Amino acid sequence: MTTTDHTRTTGAARLITPADLAGIAGRPGVVILDATSIIRQPDGDGYYSADTGRGLYEQGHLPGAVYVDLLDDFADRSNPDFWTALSPEQFAEKIGALGVSNDSTIVVYDQGQTMWATRLWWNLRYVGHDDILVLDGGLPAWQAAGRPVETGPGTALPLATFVADPRTELYASVETVTAALGDPGTALVNSLDRETFTGERVTYARPGRIPGSKHIFFGDLVDATGLAAGVETVRAAGDAAEVIGSDGPVIAYCGGGIAATFVAFQLARAGRSDVAVYDGSMTEWANNPALPLETGEPAS
């Protein structure tokens, strides 16, 4: 596989604090997007269930924020897997219909897990948009700072035109990952918890991980207050997984392509802004018995 060009996607991961967001909210060209969805994880083994976060949005959201339904409106519903990305052209049409243009400064947030916000961040970058800010800590941080919220269905923005310019290097398919197996120049990064990574917990159709995977648990890249961990913490995790300084491609995956985007976002803050996300992740991989898995602790 060829080495990814790092230059096109440098500097694309930016956080914004509630105070700084309050200073730009309402300015022309600034669009705030709420990307909340819901996962319900069973105790012990078993697959999760999912639901739209629209109800939570209507209970309380940032003033002027527009809801982006990642589960229904912004997912390929012809695919049985949750949250499968739309084609860039479909995404562009739908995001334009929400009032987002190529000239918009976009602020994305969710209601506390951040991975929904970074899923939208990744999708926007995939279709070629760079002017994106992620609200650090999401709605809880906004409320903790004493900022106001709105309730109800929200206000629609005028229709805008968004034209996609896809960065195909940021999207990994099952074919991309299969081709990377055994390639020492490509790093596969599993973003799930340790028990799922080793196969002790069975969440998907089969236990384990994609062979040769490194491990960076997305939960380790959040601090105790729910904010994104600092760059030095991220860099240490990336160095331990041997992905920060490597020259070859990095592909992050998780269960359904959501948590992996948070790892990609954090690695971008630490200097690896070219990390691809395997959209189907373990939901797709484990469902295919022809694809290999490994369990246990990786060999040192």
Side-chain angles (χ1 to χ4, degrees):
M1 299 181 70
T2 57
T3 299
T4 301
D5 179 4
H6 294 228
T7 59
R8 192 179 178 200
T9 53
T10 298
R14 295 181 292 156
L15 291 166
I16 188 169
T17 65
D20 287 341
L21 176 53
I24 67 169
R27 291 183 184 176
V30 176
V31 180
I32 303 174
L33 303 177
D34 185 317
T36 303
S37 289
I38 302 168
I39 281 182
R40 298 180 180 87
Q41 184 75 44
D43 294 333
D45 294 347
Y47 198 62
Y48 49 76
S49 61
D51 198 2
T52 175
R54 189 178 296 277
L56 291 176
Y57 166 84
E58 293 185 357
Q59 292 173 28
H61 55 266
L62 269 65
V66 176
Y67 183 65
V68 177
D69 193 333
L70 295 177
L71 179 60
D72 289 330
D73 296 344
F74 281 80
D76 179 2
R77 301 306 294 165
S78 68
N79 192 306
D81 298 332
F82 295 135
W83 298 293
T84 301
L86 296 171
S87 72
E89 294 74 23
Q90 290 173 314
F91 182 93
E93 180 180 359
K94 285 180 174 288
I95 205 73
L98 293 183
V100 178
S101 77
N102 296 96
D103 296 324
S104 297
T105 295
I106 303 171
V107 180
V108 295
Y109 78 96
D110 59 32
Q111 301 213 9
Q113 292 182 295
T114 306
M115 63 180 178
W116 306 112
T118 56
R119 171 68 181 191
L120 186 52
W121 164 86
W122 167 79
N123 216 153
L124 286 161
R125 290 188 65 231
Y126 171 45
V127 299
H129 198 78
D130 277 329
D131 193 2
I132 316 162
L133 299 157
V134 174
L135 177 59
D136 199 6
L139 182 65
W142 178 263
Q143 292 177 300
R147 302 291 175 179
V149 298
E150 292 180 343
T151 59
T155 302
L157 299 179
L159 181 71
T161 299
F162 191 102
V163 179
D165 180 18
R167 293 186 173 103
T168 56
E169 71 272 17
L170 296 181
Y171 181 92
S173 66
V174 65
E175 292 80 12
T176 310
V177 178
T178 300
L181 294 177
D183 176 11
T186 300
L188 298 173
V189 177
N190 182 301
S191 307
L192 298 168
D193 62 275
R194 193 78 192 180
E195 291 77 15
T196 304
F197 173 76
T198 61
E200 296 173 62
R201 177 182 294 123
V202 185
T203 301
Y204 308 99
R206 295 180 292 147
R209 61 185 176 275
I210 299 172
S213 294
K214 310 290 186 178
H215 186 229
I216 302 177
F217 175 39
F218 78 95
D220 290 340
L221 304 186
V222 181
D223 72 16
T225 68
L227 300 178
V231 169
E232 290 307 314
T233 297
V234 179
R235 188 170 290 120
D239 285 340
E242 301 177 319
V243 299
I244 293 293
S246 67
D247 291 326
V250 179
I251 301 171
Y253 72 95
C254 53
I258 308 299
T261 66
F262 183 68
V263 171
F265 176 83
Q266 286 286 62
L267 288 175
R269 293 182 63 220
R272 282 306 302 250
S273 55
D274 61 334
V275 175
V277 172
Y278 172 26
D279 194 35
S281 284
M282 284 296 293
T283 297
E284 178 181 45
W285 190 274
N287 270 329
N288 186 342
L291 296 174
L293 289 168
E294 63 183 15
T295 58
E297 292 293 338
S300 58

